[in-house]
Amino acid sequence: MTNVTLVPHGALTVTPTATSSADDFDFLIGRWVIQNRKLKARLSNSHEWDTFEATGTLRKVLHGRGNIDDFITAFDGKPFEGMALRIFDPATKLWSIYWSDTHRGTLDKPVVGSFDGDIGRFYCRDTYEGKDIVVMFQWDKTDLAKPVWSQAFSADNGRTWEWNWYMYFSRPAQQITFREPIRVLELRNYQMQPDMTQRFVQYFSDHFVGTQQAQGAMLPGIFTVQGEADRFFWMRGFGDMASRLSYLQNFYGGPVWKGYGREANSMMIDSDQVHLLRPWRDDGVGDAALGDGRYAFVVIDYYHAKEGKRDALLQALTNVYSAKMKEQGVLVSLWVTEMQTNDFPRLPVIQEKDLVVTISLFLKEGDYVEGALNQAEVEKYAIRKETVTLDRVLNR
């Protein structure tokens, strides 16, 4: 284990472990969703904690001898970004970890240390509200899929420690496993400001994917629209209308949207092109199709049925298109409009009673088979048909 010698009012002496190396933080490379538990008041015998979510991404620098990660969240409705810089000294075999954030104009004093197996400890002397303290960071990578960072302060030269912050890391889902069937689905098609789509994709991925999933929304995917450079498309699902209302109230009244919503809205021209749907048959097929992140090319067909022809159209799609796609291993789900009252009018939705939607998923664009129904069949049942083709954005 990293050895530290604490001389009262003197310098820290940190000795590395024999196995300390520049690869010690490789487990942290990539994107994370971070659940935080932070003591409200430090070194005051407090037992009250704040909990909140953040996202982070780590990349290696300095030809592998260092790394940088970000920490993105919101406090009191204001965006907050932190940054950690870690540098490995091959001469001393010690890591130095520096922190800065949007409240600072400098790097904090580095904590210094190393890993012993799955546990890393890092120390420095500092002050907190006028008190001389020792700071300790601890990394626990026993479970590489769910590492834990924690921080402790000591005001008595290391005799006792107060743990004041825990971060619990998990990877954003790639292939999504939903906690319950999707019985309410929003198809959200945004018109973006010119040349703003790619920036919005990154912004949305960084701030809204992990946070929405953590709060109970089911996100089958985010997409760009083929042939329309200024379009962004995403799906959001719920177990029922009651859970949708509860989620929307909490998310749009919560700190993440308050912190980042204004910037997101500034990149859009229109976000009201939203269809509110339910599965035609509650058989789980829709979940199987929507939740499989391997399917990178998505085709959505909107059929505007003639009056009284909706159910006949659905039957024709089942007998002809779905059967044809099933033979080729394509996942297809059929949806109709959810006609319950939109009880969150702040977010308008389209509720067309004779609308039928098919969502078809292909591994790649080359697998696409065109023509859900031939033109004569479409004209028999529908006033018109609109098709949107989507490329899934993978959130790595």
Side-chain angles (χ1 to χ4, degrees):
M1 183 174 294
T2 301
N3 293 315
V4 59
T5 302
L6 301 170
V7 178
H9 310 295
L12 295 177
T13 302
V14 182
T15 305
T17 63
T19 59
S20 181
S21 80
D23 299 326
D24 284 335
F25 282 97
D26 284 5
F27 72 95
L28 207 56
I29 293 171
R31 297 188 67 247
W32 297 90
V33 177
I34 308 165
Q35 304 298 330
N36 292 262
R37 185 169 179 261
K38 185 180 180 184
L39 201 61
K40 287 187 175 182
R42 300 172 180 176
L43 301 179
S44 60
N45 200 33
S46 172
H47 300 285
E48 295 184 68
W49 296 82
D50 285 322
T51 58
F52 59 94
E53 185 172 89
T55 59
T57 304
L58 181 137
R59 62 186 177 90
K60 298 184 81 168
V61 296
L62 304 176
H63 298 289
R65 289 186 177 177
N67 58 72
I68 296 175
D69 69 2
D70 56 24
F71 177 86
I72 298 172
T73 187
F75 292 125
D76 299 324
K78 297 180 181 178
F80 177 90
E81 183 173 352
M83 181 199 78
L85 168 64
R86 304 176 186 87
I87 300 174
F88 180 77
D89 185 339
T92 65
K93 297 191 72 175
L94 289 169
W95 283 93
S96 295
I97 304 176
Y98 303 81
W99 172 263
S100 189
D101 58 47
T102 48
H103 296 162
R104 294 166 166 79
T106 61
L107 292 171
D108 282 354
K109 293 181 180 179
V111 292
V112 178
S114 64
F115 273 87
D116 182 15
D118 292 331
I119 305 298
R121 291 196 175 97
F122 309 86
Y123 303 86
C124 79
R125 287 197 181 279
D126 207 339
T127 59
Y128 180 75
E129 295 185 347
K131 299 177 182 178
D132 291 329
I133 62 169
V134 180
V135 179
M136 176 169 58
F137 287 4
Q138 176 174 285
W139 276 101
D140 183 344
K141 57 178 181 177
T142 303
D143 184 347
L144 293 175
K146 296 182 178 180
V148 179
W149 173 89
S150 50
Q151 175 181 266
F153 289 174
S154 175
D156 55 12
N157 205 48
R159 287 190 295 274
T160 61
W161 295 90
E162 178 188 80
W163 295 94
N164 56 55
W165 197 342
Y166 296 88
M167 296 184 187
Y168 303 94
F169 287 67
S170 60
R171 293 289 187 185
Q174 290 298 311
Q175 184 166 337
I176 304 163
T177 301
F178 298 135
R179 288 171 288 188
E180 57 184 308
I182 292 179
R183 295 190 175 93
V184 177
L185 179 68
E186 299 172 350
L187 300 184
R188 310 189 66 86
N189 192 346
Y190 292 175
Q191 177 72 43
M192 307 306 300
Q193 297 285 354
D195 302 318
M196 195 61 70
T197 302
Q198 290 306 314
R199 179 185 169 194
F200 187 81
V201 166
Q202 188 63 54
Y203 195 85
F204 190 93
S205 298
D206 286 344
H207 301 295
F208 301 132
V209 171
T211 52
Q212 291 192 81
Q213 290 173 332
Q215 292 186 33
M218 295 176 274
L219 271 63
I222 64 175
F223 308 87
T224 54
V225 180
Q226 287 203 343
E228 299 188 61
D230 296 327
R231 283 280 175 183
F232 173 83
F233 194 106
W234 64 294
M235 305 179 190
R236 181 166 60 189
F238 305 94
D240 53 37
M241 287 293 284
S243 61
R244 174 181 180 266
L245 175 60
S246 177
Y247 165 83
L248 295 178
Q249 289 172 333
N250 290 333
F251 179 75
Y252 290 102
V256 172
W257 182 253
K258 288 180 179 178
Y260 295 98
R262 180 177 295 181
E263 178 69 14
N265 284 333
S266 73
M267 301 184 214
M268 304 180 218
I269 294 174
D270 173 47
S271 61
D272 293 342
Q273 186 72 19
V274 179
H275 286 89
L276 188 66
L277 307 177
R278 62 176 176 83
W280 177 44
R281 291 176 174 168
D282 192 8
D283 55 9
V285 173
D287 297 335
L290 296 177
D292 197 329
R294 297 175 301 159
Y295 290 81
F297 185 72
V298 179
V299 177
I300 301 181
D301 291 309
Y302 298 85
Y303 293 89
H304 302 269
K306 294 179 179 179
E307 187 173 357
K309 296 291 187 179
R310 192 199 72 167
D311 289 350
L313 172 60
L314 284 161
Q315 198 61 55
L317 287 167
T318 300
N319 294 339
V320 179
Y321 180 62
S322 294
K324 177 182 177 182
M325 294 297 100
K326 186 176 181 180
E327 290 176 359
Q328 301 184 42
V330 177
L331 296 177
V332 178
S333 56
L334 275 67
W335 303 79
V336 295
T337 297
E338 172 55 73
M339 295 304 297
Q340 290 189 56
T341 300
N342 175 28
D343 44 13
F344 195 78
R346 175 178 166 185
L347 296 184
V349 297
I350 299 168
Q351 292 176 289
E352 181 184 339
K353 69 181 180 65
D354 290 321
L355 182 70
V356 174
V357 177
T358 63
I359 303 178
S360 308
L361 283 82
F362 303 84
L363 289 173
K364 57 184 184 298
E365 184 175 356
D367 295 335
Y368 175 43
V369 180
E370 191 173 0
L373 298 174
N374 63 41
Q375 188 60 33
E377 289 171 316
V378 171
E379 292 176 355
K380 181 179 179 181
Y381 299 113
I383 299 170
R384 68 184 187 279
K385 170 193 167 190
E386 300 159 355
T387 298
V388 177
T389 55
L390 307 172
D391 290 312
R392 186 185 295 271
V393 177
L394 297 179
N395 302 305
R396 293 187 174 92

